[in-house]
Amino acid sequence: MPTLGNPTGTIYILKKYNFQFQKKYGQNFLIDSNILENIISAAQITKDDFVLEIGPGIGTMTQYLCENAREVIAVEIDKKLMPILEDTLSAYNNVAVINADILKLDINRIVDEKNGGRPIKVVANLPYYITTPIIMGLFEKHVPLESITIMVQKEVAERMQSKPGTKDYGALSLAVQYYSAPQVMFTVPAGCFMPRPNVDSAVIKLIYHSKPPVDVNDEGLMFELIRASFNQRRKTLVNSLSNATDLGLTKDKVLSALEKLQLAATVRGEALTLEQFARLSNML
Ligand code: SAM
């Protein structure tokens, strides 16, 4: 068995199984051993760790995870990859592969059964077509987490860690920063994958907050306000929120809350910090 984290090893396996890439599953496999080593060290994987890998592909990063972690669960949607993973992971007895759609899997149950409900590390080279639902799913289902170290599109990584008043700041930044402390670790050129994606990528680490950094009475309402504020990004916050019919807020009500928060009547959502959104939602 050749090592996989290089073009030769990957091509050998693809040919052996006559594997055809499925574009619909966002299949871009890593072929650079330096990047793989850097992901493992960014995630600070040790023999104490239980790791969930999302989308193992042919098992390239899974092998590195098995070498470094105590136990690995790898969830892969593509049935055609199952015999390949059985082959490439045959040397390891600390891994289980689950053939499932990560968005439909009860991850909390797996963490309960396999790790006694203790926090896990998530490591993945994510399928880019579902980056946001995967991350938000982990957060909103309150999966016990220590950290999430993931490869995403470079622009998405930038959005996750951007601050108020910048062009990248939006609902994703606020959600990620409510649940975690994001840190872009390094960027990854398109040439490190097979096939080459059309975009550059970055590895970002989200260190989970055991307690959110702001006090919110109703998380659901805060995120509805955030979504409404950024739906109509160029409008003032008063107009965006009073136009969002599901919220049932009058202009006067929003204006009076803004006044109490000492914010101008003309302020836009993109200027508000997470703390200000939390206070606004508590007030409304
Ligand atoms: N980890 C491998 C690597 O780094 O070479 C493959 C990464 S590739 C970018 C993404 C992987 O996620 C593919 O193997 C794809 O089949 C899988 N995938 C796509 N959608 C998925 C889903 N909903 N649930 C689980 N796996 C999925």
Side-chain angles (χ1 to χ4, degrees):
M1 168 78 52
T3 46
L4 297 175
N6 57 69
T8 321
T10 297
I11 290 167
Y12 169 85
I13 286 292
L14 297 178
K15 285 218 168 114
K16 180 172 171 190
Y17 288 90
N18 191 22
F19 180 78
Q20 309 293 327
F21 288 105
Q22 296 267 7
K23 215 171 168 188
K24 67 171 178 187
Y25 289 147
Q27 290 177 340
N28 301 95
F29 298 161
L30 269 167
I31 49 165
D32 187 309
S33 56
N34 282 328
I35 300 291
L36 286 151
E37 278 158 23
N38 291 343
I39 294 173
I40 299 296
S41 66
Q44 295 177 297
I45 302 298
T46 71
K47 278 289 166 197
D48 286 336
D49 291 325
F50 180 95
V51 177
L52 167 69
E53 186 190 10
I54 300 163
I58 59 170
T60 311
M61 192 154 71
T62 327
Q63 291 186 339
Y64 284 78
L65 291 169
C66 291
E67 293 285 346
N68 290 281
R70 172 172 52 87
E71 194 173 343
V72 181
I73 297 286
V75 178
E76 172 57 61
I77 198 168
D78 188 351
K79 205 164 71 190
K80 295 217 168 78
L81 287 165
M82 293 303 117
I84 303 185
L85 287 164
E86 205 167 301
D87 183 2
T88 58
L89 302 176
S90 60
Y92 302 100
N93 59 9
N94 59 343
V95 60
V97 175
I98 301 177
N99 181 205
D101 178 346
I102 190 70
L103 297 177
K104 297 191 182 141
L105 198 67
D106 185 351
I107 306 168
N108 283 304
R109 190 173 56 80
I110 293 174
V111 178
D112 274 349
E113 282 174 10
K114 304 249 180 196
N115 203 40
R118 289 184 304 278
I120 62 164
K121 287 183 176 169
V122 175
V123 183
N125 170 14
L126 285 185
Y128 293 171
Y129 74 109
I130 43 169
T131 300
T132 304
I134 290 177
I135 298 170
M136 292 317 297
L138 291 167
F139 285 149
E140 285 168 359
K141 287 178 197 149
H142 296 283
V143 172
L145 293 168
E146 208 175 312
S147 62
I148 304 179
T149 306
I150 40 174
M151 177 93 70
V152 297
Q153 223 172 296
K154 191 165 156 237
E155 286 69 24
V156 176
E158 280 158 8
R159 260 193 274 149
M160 287 185 201
Q161 70 162 17
S162 62
K163 297 288 175 208
T166 59
K167 74 170 176 24
D168 292 332
Y169 186 62
L172 181 65
S173 332
L174 282 154
V176 165
Q177 291 169 33
Y178 175 71
Y179 290 107
S180 72
Q183 193 186 355
V184 175
M185 307 302 289
F186 51 90
T187 55
V188 182
C192 296
F193 301 87
M194 184 183 292
R196 239 179 120 95
N198 296 325
V199 291
D200 281 336
S201 303
V203 171
I204 187 165
K205 184 171 185 183
L206 313 176
I207 300 172
Y208 194 67
H209 290 310
S210 45
K211 184 179 171 299
V214 293
D215 286 325
V216 191
N217 301 335
D218 181 346
E219 268 178 28
L221 173 64
M222 180 178 77
F223 284 113
E224 272 181 58
L225 293 175
I226 290 173
R227 267 192 295 276
S229 310
F230 288 95
N231 262 347
Q232 298 175 304
R233 207 182 165 97
R234 303 311 301 161
K235 293 214 162 134
T236 62
L237 189 66
V238 176
N239 283 337
S240 302
L241 296 187
S242 54
N243 286 348
T245 42
D246 324 355
L247 286 170
L249 292 169
T250 61
K251 270 191 183 180
D252 281 348
K253 194 162 182 195
V254 181
L255 276 170
S256 113
L258 290 184
E259 202 181 325
K260 285 186 200 138
L261 291 172
Q262 297 182 316
L263 288 167
T266 53
V267 74
R268 290 199 182 116
E270 63 194 15
L272 265 64
T273 61
L274 176 62
E275 167 83 43
Q276 287 168 322
F277 271 113
R279 289 175 59 203
L280 180 66
S281 100
N282 291 346
M283 216 167 260
L284 291 172

